[in-house]
Amino acid sequence: MKIHLIGIGGAAMGNLAAMLKQSGHKVSGSDQDLYPPMSDRLKEWKIDARPFNKSSVKGKDLVIAGNAISRGNVELEETLRLGLPITSMAAALQQFFLKGRKVVVVAGTHGKTTTTFLTDYLLGEAAALASRSARSGASSSSMAASSVGHGSARSRRVSAADLPGLFVGGVRADGHPGFRIPGKNNPYFVIEGDEYDTAFFDKASKFLHYRPHYLILTSVEYDHADIFENFEQYKKSFRILLRWIPPNGALIPCMADAGVREVCKEYRFSPVLGYGKNSLSYGKRKGADVRFKLRKPDGRPDLDFECTPSLIGQHNTFNATAAALLARQAGISQAQIIAGLESFPGVLRRQQVRISMTGDQASGTILAAGSSTGIGGRAKVETRERSRQKKTVAASERIFMEDFAHHPTAVKQTLDAVREAYPGYTIIALYEPRSATSHRSIFEHEYVDALQDANTVLLPDVFNRKKVSSDVLLDVKSIVRQLQQRGVDAHFCKDPAGVLNALKKQYALATKTGAPVLILGMSNGGFGGIYPEIDDLVKG
């Protein structure tokens, strides 16, 4: 087919274009502006992508409209005038790739990207490599030790035929781009379930197109205030999603989350594998180690094991529990799960250590493992190796970490995880209110609670003051005042450039004390392009 994508510059649309081309279709696309990295990837994939022009849709068999495209777009208007077949990204995924597969949808307000990548990893690479290692007589621990930090090598050693399909809005820390056509030997397709609306003609959530066989539900908290008028409307979308699970599938909900409990309380149409605090299945963290106890749908014990997952924080313990429960549904063994949890590379922009300075040495990771996973990759292998890693972490005097957190709950979870993993560090938190929800005053007090555990907080104003009306606009100065009243060294900086200038002063003061310092930058955007300059600041 000749397929044209309007709005191809977005990560999801660009990845869909690549999958369609790999499947043998003739693919083209357009966007208002095309920027790296997607513009470079489209050239690499040899996909013709140009600025909007109504002639681009002529002669196409199918047009796919991204959810950012609205009436008035010249190509959309021409598509409608010519009566060409038109669909959405979500519907195209179902039509071309999900149909006939056991679809694993990972949905929820927080943790979708990490849990999707981790689930895919357990079902594919980790399972295949652990099985191969077992056949050769090697232990799962030695396999994890040999594979840490060599994501590209892992990918080359696993047959594509053994891997599940994948579609996720992120990049794995070893460079995996977040999409994959499913292999012939693997029946699964793992997809991040986005609750945002689908297209100009379809205002329902994207994930309603994906028809989950298995559904992981990580959390349900009010978000996307530009799309959902209130929390009840938001929850309704998730309740509808539950209706798609077949009786031979399974629901895997985080019952530690109040919103999840409310959405799932009357669900009874397929097996339910709840996880989290006060659930049958859970992970209990003690330092870097986690004890996992997993049960079957009927409540009988399944697995009981301890390992050292590569990801830090209680929220990632929940994510790992969900991925492990799903893996068990697919027949993945305990040894394979342990190998995967310990060797998982992590996800870029999720607790990613950009720069770590130990003495006079700078690196992009804490470990000498070679990828930008940062805190990912702390595998529990030999005692000597664990000891070396802990010493390296303790000796890292200056760290710059980047995270995608933007909802107040995600901000708090990230700060809690960092505080636990880096005791004794002076934490300087930078947060950019950029998302549609964070522009609004609805979570003002929650942001104060989320940021109060940092030693220093530097906040710019909201990204676009014209995005919402003044009566509901987030008052960042008020957040700063409330933090100051709680004893936090908080500063209002007007814009990202102001944050950078203030950071230089605060960083100089913090490093003079002799205590180790960690700068944590949190934004779902680019934070005004200041990160490279912070890299240089930490390198010194």
Side-chain angles (χ1 to χ4, degrees):
M1 295 179 70
K2 296 179 182 177
I3 303 175
H4 184 78
L5 291 84
I6 308 178
I8 199 172
M13 287 284 280
N15 290 349
L16 173 60
M19 292 174 71
L20 289 167
K21 179 156 187 178
Q22 289 175 16
S23 299
H25 300 285
K26 187 174 182 180
V27 179
S28 62
S30 59
D31 216 316
Q32 180 68 41
D33 298 295
L34 290 164
Y35 299 108
M38 186 50 68
S39 58
D40 295 333
R41 290 174 182 167
L42 291 169
K43 289 179 182 177
E44 178 186 343
W45 299 332
K46 294 181 172 53
I47 294 175
D48 181 21
R50 305 179 182 186
F52 294 133
N53 189 309
K54 69 177 185 179
S55 63
S56 297
V57 301
K58 187 177 181 180
K60 304 304 180 186
D61 301 310
L62 179 66
V63 173
I64 301 173
N67 77 328
I69 304 303
S70 57
R71 288 300 303 265
N73 176 281
V74 293
E75 292 189 4
L76 176 57
E77 294 302 314
E78 184 69 2
T79 299
L80 296 172
R81 189 186 72 82
L82 295 174
L84 299 176
I86 186 168
T87 191
S88 65
M89 181 198 77
L93 281 166
Q94 170 60 230
Q95 176 183 347
F96 291 102
F97 301 108
L98 303 184
K99 192 181 299 181
R101 293 278 167 178
K102 286 187 176 180
V103 180
V104 180
V105 175
V106 181
T109 313
H110 319 295
K112 294 187 293 293
T113 303
T114 298
T115 308
T116 303
F117 266 124
L118 180 55
T119 301
D120 166 75
Y121 190 73
L122 294 186
L123 291 182
E125 289 158 281
L129 288 171
S131 297
R132 188 176 302 169
S133 180
R135 287 196 299 270
S136 65
S139 69
S140 63
S141 292
S142 63
M143 188 284 293
S146 67
S147 65
V148 170
H150 300 284
S152 59
R154 274 198 305 271
S155 298
R156 287 194 298 270
R157 288 159 48 198
V158 180
S159 170
D162 295 329
L163 298 175
L166 175 66
F167 198 83
V168 56
V171 178
R172 209 167 68 185
D174 59 359
H176 191 291
F179 66 92
R180 184 194 306 116
I181 295 174
K184 63 180 181 180
N185 298 333
N186 198 308
Y188 297 97
F189 196 111
V190 188
I191 186 167
E192 180 176 1
D194 183 6
E195 67 269 30
Y196 213 72
D197 65 353
T198 300
F200 76 96
F201 58 87
D202 180 357
K203 307 315 286 183
S205 295
K206 293 189 189 76
F207 57 36
L208 296 180
H209 289 272
Y210 299 157
R211 297 193 62 170
H213 187 88
Y214 297 112
L215 173 63
I216 294 175
L217 189 54
T218 64
S219 50
V220 178
E221 285 192 88
Y222 185 47
D223 200 4
H224 301 308
D226 55 327
I227 298 296
F228 300 98
E229 293 182 4
N230 51 53
F231 192 24
E232 286 304 314
Q233 188 183 69
Y234 185 79
K235 288 184 288 188
K236 182 179 179 181
S237 195
F238 288 92
R239 290 192 179 103
I240 295 172
L241 177 62
L242 265 60
R243 299 175 188 173
W244 278 111
I245 307 172
N248 59 337
L251 170 64
I252 305 176
C254 181
M255 301 307 284
D257 183 271
V260 170
R261 291 196 301 272
E262 188 172 346
V263 166
C264 299
K265 64 183 178 182
E266 296 180 0
Y267 184 78
R268 61 185 185 278
F269 299 107
S270 66
V272 177
L273 292 151
Y275 67 95
K277 296 175 182 177
N278 302 318
S279 295
L280 293 176
S281 296
Y282 61 89
K284 188 174 183 180
R285 180 177 288 272
K286 186 176 181 180
D289 297 334
V290 178
R291 173 87 174 270
F292 289 95
K293 289 193 175 184
L294 307 183
R295 291 184 178 267
K296 297 180 179 181
D298 60 7
R300 288 181 296 150
D302 186 13
L303 298 183
D304 185 342
F305 63 91
E306 182 178 317
C307 67
T308 307
S310 64
L311 303 176
I312 66 169
Q314 182 57 48
H315 62 303
N316 278 321
T317 299
F318 288 150
N319 296 339
T321 307
L325 282 168
L326 188 283
R328 289 299 290 159
Q329 293 296 297
I332 306 301
S333 71
Q334 176 176 303
Q336 292 168 329
I337 291 171
I338 291 174
L341 294 179
E342 292 185 337
S343 64
F344 177 60
V347 182
L348 291 185
R349 304 198 67 196
R350 271 70 174 179
Q351 298 171 349
Q352 176 198 353
V353 173
R354 292 173 60 100
I355 297 294
S356 175
M357 289 290 294
T358 303
D360 294 328
Q361 301 298 317
S363 69
T365 65
I366 288 180
L367 305 182
S371 76
S372 54
T373 61
I375 41 194
R378 290 193 207 173
K380 182 180 181 184
V381 285
E382 301 174 8
T383 303
R384 180 177 60 187
E385 178 69 8
R386 293 201 304 271
S387 175
R388 181 191 71 79
Q389 291 169 3
K390 290 178 180 178
K391 288 180 181 178
T392 304
V393 171
S396 298
E397 300 166 359
R398 302 182 299 280
I399 295 172
F400 176 33
M401 180 186 295
E402 177 184 1
D403 198 89
F404 196 72
H406 49 282
H407 190 283
T409 296
V411 170
K412 179 172 175 53
Q413 289 174 341
T414 301
L415 263 173
D416 287 348
V418 170
R419 180 64 75 189
E420 179 185 43
Y422 299 92
Y425 277 67
T426 296
I427 298 177
I428 303 175
L430 325 175
Y431 173 66
E432 181 185 31
R434 187 184 181 101
S435 70
T437 302
S438 67
H439 274 70
R440 293 165 167 79
S441 59
I442 184 172
F443 287 134
E444 178 178 314
H445 298 300
E446 285 81 358
Y447 278 118
V448 176
D449 293 338
L451 291 163
Q452 67 179 353
D453 287 334
N455 299 94
T456 298
V457 176
L458 306 178
L459 301 177
D461 204 352
V462 296
F463 177 69
N464 181 2
R465 292 186 63 87
K466 297 179 180 180
K467 195 167 189 174
V468 299
S469 60
S470 59
D471 59 319
V472 296
L473 187 68
L474 181 69
D475 188 345
V476 180
K477 290 182 179 178
S478 175
I479 293 175
V480 169
R481 288 193 297 270
Q482 293 177 65
L483 285 169
Q484 291 171 343
Q485 291 168 3
R486 298 188 188 189
V488 180
D489 181 29
H491 303 265
F492 176 76
C493 304
K494 186 179 179 181
D495 55 27
V499 169
L500 180 62
N501 290 332
L503 174 62
K504 291 176 180 177
K505 297 176 184 177
Q506 296 300 319
Y507 180 72
L509 292 172
T511 53
K512 283 181 181 178
T513 67
V517 178
L518 188 150
I519 301 169
L520 174 62
M522 294 175 284
S523 172
N524 68 329
F527 217 131
I530 65 174
Y531 285 170
E533 293 188 65
I534 300 176
D535 292 340
D536 293 338
L537 175 67
V538 177
K539 288 177 184 177

